[in-house]
Amino acid sequence: MLRNRRRLGAWLLAAVVLVVVLVLYDADRTGVGDPKAAPSATPSATLPGTAAPAPTTAAPSPSATPSPPAPPGTGEPSSSASACTSPGACGYPDANSTGPRIALERHDTGNMSVKKDGTVIKGWDIRGSLDIYANDVTIIDSRITSTNWWGVNLRPGFSGLKVLHTTITAVPGKGPDNGGVNYAVSNMGGSSIEVGWCDISVFGNALSMGQGNLHDNYVHDLVAFRNQGGEWQHIDAVISGGGNKGRLTIRHNTLLNSTPVDKGATAAVGLFADTGVVSSVVVEDNWLAGGAYALYGGGPGATGIQVTGNVFSTQYHPASGAYGPVTAWNAGGAGNVWKDNRMSDGRPVEPAS
């Protein structure tokens, strides 16, 4: 009797061991026993400025509506590119990162001429405009509200102007050109100037110069007007007429031109051979939107034009500009470089051949 009980116990123990082995084998085969093998119930975090992973969907039926073709000058989205929703969200200048950083004191200057070398204007809330007949003038942490042709104008023969952390705007309908105003900052001098971290609005051709260092500016809400000849004034966030002797650098700005084409909109960046051949221009890492074309590239004969790493925004037009992202690009010009430019939805941008 005792021998039979021992034999029965041995069989029961063997059966338990067999069941455990079978369960562990099945768990290892299916992956259920490994937490890493099961799909995560929590989506992974998305870094700012990157697109969330696309959800898995069923293949479309043969009767599904095809996607519209890409606008001219653009291709399919790059696998490494990500969508950008707005300038500020994607690290470009906006109202929060430009303009004065200190409290301001009001100055009703009218059209004020600055004639002393080394003048520094800081903390002024100017009702008027500044005409610079001096070298090494600095305007910083200020606001200019103009009803003149310009906000700041550097006269020929002078150099070293800096306009930094300043808001430059105008009163629509109160300017001298049939109520319009033309230039927020104009460089009539023969040397480079610096304009940085400025909030600029209203002026028809906001930043007008053949040479300069334009960086970290927010240009927006340009206002259309008819010039004294009765024609719609051409509207550009940045404009250069060519014939420049020095370098024009346009880097890390937000340049918006929401003006309708039938009211003069030309470009976000307009490089035109109006007064000579366009040369030695860097357009790098900017947010560009609006105009007939967002960028005019200098045209035939343009050389040394480097356009790299820019975002062509679709916020006003599907193709960034009304007719496309870029025109007048001289692909064969010496030193001309087009690289890593894309639409704000991630599509690469290439100039028409």
Side-chain angles (χ1 to χ4, degrees):
M1 180 68 108
L2 181 60
R3 179 179 298 174
N4 289 338
R5 287 180 180 176
R6 288 177 176 174
R7 186 175 298 169
L8 178 60
W11 280 109
L12 290 174
L13 179 60
V16 170
V17 171
L18 179 61
V19 169
V20 170
V21 169
L22 289 174
V23 169
L24 291 176
Y25 171 77
D26 186 64
D28 181 67
R29 182 175 61 83
T30 60
V32 173
D34 183 1
K36 296 179 183 178
S40 172
T42 304
S44 59
T46 301
L47 295 175
T50 62
T56 303
T57 58
S61 66
S63 61
T65 304
S67 299
T74 64
E76 293 299 318
S78 165
S79 59
S80 61
S82 58
C84 250
T85 55
S86 68
C90 296
Y92 289 95
D94 61 10
N96 295 317
S97 57
T98 56
R101 302 162 295 178
I102 61 176
L104 306 180
E105 178 183 350
R106 179 161 172 167
H107 291 258
D108 294 311
T109 64
N111 182 22
M112 176 179 170
S113 294
V114 178
K115 297 184 177 181
K116 181 181 178 181
D117 290 351
T119 296
V120 175
I121 294 174
K122 182 175 182 179
W124 286 25
D125 184 358
I126 295 170
R127 307 303 167 94
S129 59
L130 300 176
D131 213 359
I132 311 300
Y133 294 87
N135 297 313
D136 303 320
V137 172
T138 298
I139 303 158
I140 187 168
D141 286 316
S142 295
R143 177 183 175 89
I144 298 170
T145 304
S146 174
T147 55
N148 199 0
W149 300 95
W150 56 80
V152 181
N153 183 33
L154 179 65
R155 290 291 180 169
F158 300 96
S159 63
L161 174 66
K162 294 183 179 182
V163 186
L164 309 173
H165 295 287
T166 292
T167 294
I168 309 172
T169 189
V171 182
K174 298 295 184 180
D177 201 353
N178 268 349
V181 287
N182 289 275
Y183 313 112
V185 181
S186 171
N187 181 9
M188 299 175 67
S191 67
S192 181
I193 70 174
E194 181 183 1
V195 183
W197 303 286
C198 290
D199 183 329
I200 298 170
S201 61
V202 181
F203 292 89
N205 289 298
L207 296 170
S208 174
M209 62 196 68
Q211 49 267 328
N213 179 12
L214 312 178
H215 64 88
D216 300 289
N217 300 293
Y218 175 44
V219 181
H220 60 102
D221 294 308
L222 306 181
V223 175
F225 64 94
R226 295 183 188 273
N227 59 29
Q228 290 186 338
E231 301 174 338
W232 287 107
Q233 170 72 27
H234 287 281
I235 304 295
D236 304 89
V238 175
I239 185 170
S240 176
N244 52 298
K245 304 300 182 183
R247 178 179 291 271
L248 175 60
T249 298
I250 306 166
R251 180 177 286 123
H252 200 249
N253 303 278
T254 297
L255 304 173
L256 309 180
N257 186 351
S258 60
T259 310
V261 173
D262 62 357
K263 292 186 178 180
T266 310
V269 174
L271 307 178
F272 304 111
D274 294 338
T275 56
V277 174
V278 179
S279 63
S280 192
V281 180
V282 173
V283 183
E284 180 182 1
D285 189 28
N286 300 282
W287 177 283
L288 310 175
Y293 290 88
L295 171 67
Y296 280 73
T303 59
I305 314 300
Q306 301 175 32
V307 182
T308 60
N310 298 282
V311 175
F312 289 79
S313 170
T314 60
Q315 64 194 90
Y316 303 130
H317 308 287
S320 192
Y323 305 129
V326 56
T327 191
W329 175 252
N330 180 19
N336 290 351
V337 176
W338 184 279
K339 184 179 179 182
D340 296 334
N341 300 294
R342 64 185 177 90
M343 302 292 286
S344 53
D345 60 12
R347 288 171 292 156
V349 175
E350 295 294 338
S353 56

